[in-house]
Amino acid sequence: MTCYDRRDLGLLLLRLGTGGVLAAHGAQKLFGWFGGHGLEGTGQFMESVGYAPGKASATAAGLAEAGGGTLLALGLATPAAGAAAAGAMAGASAVHTPNGFFAASGGYEHAASLGLAAAGLAVTGPGRLSLDHALGHTVDRSWMVPTALGVTAAVTAVVVGLRNQRLRKREEGEQEALFED
């Protein structure tokens, strides 16, 4: 029998907690489970906060959260799973940033915490109590960490940047005229 150390148990708990929360949030978006609004309602919300097209944005966020969260919990393809979840949480943080840090005020605290935990797991790895370890780390190679995080960071920067452009244009269109004609 293999003896697992405290690090492996700690990583398992972190993966199960972080992955479980992310998977549940993704299921809200994709399927309307756990009091969520499903793709239609989430798509409308995404559109209202500048992510367009809304339904495609809801699908991408839901898949990153549900898929990334499930894979993190299992400890499978950990670099890609953590990076995908971190990217989704960066996009969520962008929405909540105007409200400040604390979640009680609608801030980005929760999304940032989940994103940092997911990124940390991508970097650290899943530990020995994982499918990655059981499969000989075939989908958890060291080169995958910078690749997954780099690609996700680039895509996230583009998506959030486009969202910010849409919001600026929307605000410009809603401004009152300075001078009467």
Side-chain angles (χ1 to χ4, degrees):
M1 174 178 260
T2 305
C3 180
Y4 299 103
D5 62 18
R6 290 179 13 204
R7 179 182 177 274
D8 293 315
L9 291 173
L11 287 170
L12 174 64
L13 291 172
L14 185 59
R15 285 192 353 259
L16 290 174
T18 303
V21 170
L22 285 162
H25 279 276
Q28 287 181 310
K29 288 173 179 65
L30 294 173
F31 311 116
W33 296 352
F34 313 116
H37 300 287
L39 283 177
E40 206 58 47
T42 303
Q44 290 172 5
F45 171 76
M46 296 290 255
E47 195 84 38
S48 77
V49 295
Y51 288 112
K55 194 168 183 178
S57 298
T59 301
L63 289 173
E65 292 174 16
T70 300
L71 290 173
L72 278 176
L74 295 171
L76 181 62
T78 304
M89 293 299 98
S93 291
V95 171
H96 295 283
T97 296
N99 301 322
F101 178 71
F102 292 103
S105 302
Y108 62 94
E109 170 187 19
H110 187 245
S113 296
L114 286 173
L116 288 168
L121 286 166
V123 171
T124 304
R128 291 185 291 173
L129 297 170
S130 66
L131 287 178
D132 277 338
H133 181 74
L135 297 172
H137 296 279
T138 56
V139 289
D140 177 29
R141 304 281 186 205
S142 60
W143 63 265
M144 293 175 183
V145 174
T147 302
L149 290 172
V151 168
T152 299
V155 169
T156 302
V158 168
V159 169
V160 171
L162 290 171
R163 172 199 177 257
N164 291 343
Q165 282 181 344
R166 278 187 211 94
L167 291 178
R168 275 193 301 277
K169 286 181 183 177
R170 186 184 299 169
E171 288 172 7
E172 289 169 4
E174 293 176 4
Q175 289 181 349
E176 292 180 29
L178 292 175
F179 303 103
E180 296 282 330
D181 287 333

